[in-house]
Amino acid sequence: IGNPHQVSFWIDLSLDDVPAFIEEPFAPPATLMKWRVYFYYRQAEKSEDYWKSEGKFWNKDVEGFVGRNKGIGDALAKIVAPADTAEQKVNKLYAYVAGLENQDYRPARTEEEQRVLELKRNRGVEDVLEHQSGTHDELNRLFVALVRSAGIPASLILVPDRERDVLLKDLPSMSQFDGEVAIVQLAGKDVFLDPGTKFCPYGIVDWRYAGVEGLRQNGKGTEFGLTPDPLYSQVITTRMAQVSLDDQGFLSGTVTLVYKGMAAVEIRQQGGKSDSQGRSKLLEDEVRGLLPGNSEISLINSPKWQDADASFIAQFHIRCPFLVAAGKRFMISEHLFQVNEKPRFPSLRRTSPVYFHLPWQEADEVHLQLPPGMEVESQPPDDTVKLPYAFYQVRHKQEAAGKIFVRRDFIMGQTVFTADEYKEIKPFFDKVENDDGQAALLRLSTSVAVTK
């Protein structure tokens, strides 16, 4: 470092034999895995002193914003009823705030729209109320102000976005944080809520802010705290197919996709930044990615794009080539929604941890009607695979003459695995992928074969 009395400073860093960064599927954010050096100005001798000091500044900023609350009582009286229970009040206040304009989830703005937005800058919750508009954090601050006005304890926790980073306590920098999540006390328990995330249902926190450590208000200042881990029961995808096979080997019928919890949040957020045509294409492309190439897909219903509390349901008409000749017999994959899946973990070895953004749950059903004159010769065996944190089960049967039924259930309840644990999860996924890839064997019925 140069002379502190001079204007310019410099630091020389020389490194040798730095190993190459290996990109592996489902790895933690690269910012955490790559070799790196942080430079910062030291404002306190100990990191805990830094966090205590900076926590006070953040807490003061929050309370200053929340304290500018003109009109909050009038707004509260219009949203809740005196006879409502505490939880009913919180639910109603959540719905109100979640319904305001969210400035972080809009299509790209024109220069004029951006100028108007700057003129309506919010300096307190009273401004958010007046403008009926706010950013993620401003909406969550308004929610806290309303809940407090209803006589219910509420506070905020400042957290990083774990899509990019996690909190490093030894790095004294507030730039690690990305967003604020509300904490409401109901029946003596902390309930974490996030109305500032567009389309996020009550009781769920945006996965980017879930399962991370941050700074939370404690009445006197701040302390370190954790947001709850996401649950697989909050990320559910259900797919159902009612299809028929014709004598040309084409599959046609309807496919229904149902998203619940965080799965619905993400699809709604993607569609919320497009027009109706773009939203239809988004959904059709989603199905196109599941089915064989050259598939014909058309959306046939109007999904509930704005109702965050409802399951997101999309229905499609499909037609696609699906039958494969195998000599005098035919093969058909019974797992319609897995025909395009590629191995998640093809490598035998792993150097980095495995990191899934979310735990998740899938439930698939396929009802497949064969054409006249064709029958099932054999179906893949049923199977169940279990780990303490994961589950896979598949069932095959003929539910009627010439009609195949397949049910597939999958749960992954854990999100982070060390490189050493790779030897346990890779065989699990390999087994799942092997079962998903098995086909049923079909043949022409005896009467048809004799006639020909």
Side-chain angles (χ1 to χ4, degrees):
I1 301 179
N3 187 331
H5 298 293
Q6 295 178 346
V7 174
S8 60
F9 302 89
W10 67 91
I11 297 175
D12 288 331
L13 176 66
S14 178
L15 299 174
D16 296 314
D17 302 322
V18 177
F21 176 68
I22 300 174
E23 293 191 35
E24 295 178 298
F26 302 103
T31 53
L32 294 177
M33 301 303 298
K34 290 182 178 180
W35 286 46
R36 57 207 184 277
V37 177
Y38 294 109
F39 296 100
Y40 54 88
Y41 292 103
R42 188 170 63 183
Q43 296 174 298
E45 289 296 323
K46 299 179 180 179
S47 59
E48 52 264 36
D49 293 334
Y50 170 85
W51 293 119
K52 184 177 180 180
S53 173
E54 289 299 312
K56 287 182 178 179
F57 284 118
W58 170 69
N59 182 64
K60 182 179 180 181
D61 178 68
V62 169
E63 294 306 317
F65 193 93
V66 171
R68 293 180 177 177
N69 58 6
K70 182 181 178 181
I72 202 80
D74 293 338
L76 179 70
K78 295 177 182 178
I79 302 169
V80 303
D84 289 338
T85 65
E87 187 168 5
Q88 287 173 332
K89 290 178 181 178
V90 174
N91 265 279
K92 289 182 178 181
L93 294 172
Y94 186 99
Y96 171 78
V97 174
L100 301 181
E101 180 191 36
N102 193 312
Q103 297 174 9
D104 291 335
Y105 292 96
R106 288 186 55 186
R109 301 179 180 90
T110 65
E111 290 187 8
E112 176 61 20
E113 288 174 330
Q114 188 62 40
R115 186 186 69 81
V116 172
L117 198 62
E118 288 295 324
L119 293 175
K120 296 197 312 182
R121 183 184 296 274
N122 296 321
R123 294 174 174 80
V125 296
E126 59 191 33
D127 294 333
V128 183
L129 274 175
E130 180 183 352
H131 300 148
Q132 295 285 285
S133 173
T135 63
H136 172 273
D137 290 356
E138 289 170 352
L139 293 174
N140 280 347
R141 289 183 178 190
L142 171 61
F143 175 66
V144 165
L146 286 166
V147 172
R148 288 180 181 177
S149 183
I152 302 168
S155 58
L156 289 158
I157 181 170
L158 181 64
V159 292
D161 177 348
R162 68 178 177 88
E163 185 177 22
R164 300 195 306 262
D165 219 336
V166 296
L167 175 63
L168 301 176
K169 291 182 181 178
D170 291 334
L171 174 63
S173 172
M174 292 290 283
S175 65
Q176 298 182 78
F177 298 114
D178 292 277
E180 297 169 356
V181 173
I183 309 172
V184 177
Q185 282 198 334
L186 288 172
K189 296 182 179 180
D190 287 342
V191 179
F192 291 77
L193 299 169
D194 192 12
T197 289
K198 189 66 173 176
F199 303 121
C200 194
Y202 182 92
I204 295 179
V205 172
D206 188 328
W207 71 266
R208 297 164 184 82
Y209 305 139
V212 293
E213 188 171 21
L215 280 177
R216 64 176 288 175
Q217 296 178 293
N218 63 7
K220 300 177 181 178
T222 59
E223 61 186 3
F224 289 110
L226 293 169
T227 55
D229 291 328
L231 305 174
Y232 69 80
S233 58
Q234 297 173 335
V235 193
I236 302 175
T237 300
T238 302
R239 298 169 288 218
M240 179 177 289
Q242 294 275 3
V243 290
S244 299
L245 185 70
D246 64 22
D247 54 9
Q248 300 300 311
F250 279 81
L251 209 62
S252 61
T254 60
V255 163
T256 303
L257 303 186
V258 181
Y259 299 100
K260 298 179 181 180
M262 202 64 219
V265 174
E266 296 210 322
I267 199 74
R268 284 188 168 107
Q269 287 181 353
Q270 293 177 52
K273 297 182 179 181
S274 184
D275 56 19
S276 59
Q277 185 176 357
R279 289 193 290 269
S280 294
K281 184 179 184 302
L282 169 71
L283 294 175
E284 289 170 358
D285 286 347
E286 186 84 4
V287 178
R288 189 167 285 110
L290 299 172
L291 302 182
N294 301 320
S295 296
E296 299 172 13
I297 302 160
S298 58
L299 180 68
I300 58 176
N301 78 319
S302 299
K304 295 181 178 180
W305 287 98
Q306 299 298 321
D307 190 352
D309 292 323
S311 298
F312 186 90
I313 303 174
Q315 294 178 311
F316 308 84
H317 176 76
I318 69 158
R319 187 174 186 272
C320 60
F322 209 66
L323 198 63
V324 177
K328 295 182 179 180
R329 292 173 172 78
F330 306 91
M331 292 195 316
I332 187 169
S333 174
E334 295 189 338
H335 294 276
L336 175 62
F337 302 113
Q338 283 74 42
V339 294
N340 286 336
E341 281 199 355
K342 297 178 180 179
R344 279 186 171 89
F345 302 108
S347 177
L348 294 176
R349 295 178 179 82
R350 183 86 179 188
T351 59
S352 64
V354 173
Y355 178 72
F356 298 124
H357 286 162
L358 280 165
W360 75 96
Q361 179 177 353
E362 298 171 354
D364 298 336
E365 279 192 9
V366 176
H367 302 260
L368 193 160
Q369 178 67 58
L370 301 179
M374 187 172 288
E375 61 187 17
V376 178
E377 181 171 300
S378 64
Q379 289 184 277
D382 296 344
D383 199 7
T384 300
V385 187
K386 295 180 180 180
L387 290 174
Y389 45 80
F391 175 82
Y392 170 82
Q393 185 177 75
V394 62
R395 295 288 181 264
H396 315 79
K397 70 177 182 179
Q398 292 189 62
E399 58 183 350
K403 192 168 186 180
I404 293 172
F405 169 81
V406 183
R407 169 80 186 197
R408 177 187 183 274
D409 290 281
F410 179 95
I411 294 173
M412 173 52 66
Q414 188 170 316
T415 57
V416 181
F417 303 86
T418 66
D420 288 339
E421 292 173 315
Y422 184 67
K423 61 180 179 291
E424 182 176 74
I425 66 165
K426 175 177 168 53
F428 173 80
F429 278 101
D430 287 348
K431 178 62 174 171
V432 170
E433 288 150 9
N434 178 72
D435 284 0
D436 286 346
Q438 295 188 83
L441 199 60
L442 310 179
R443 66 187 177 197
L444 297 177
S445 62
T446 304
S447 60
V448 174
V450 170
T451 301
K452 288 189 175 183

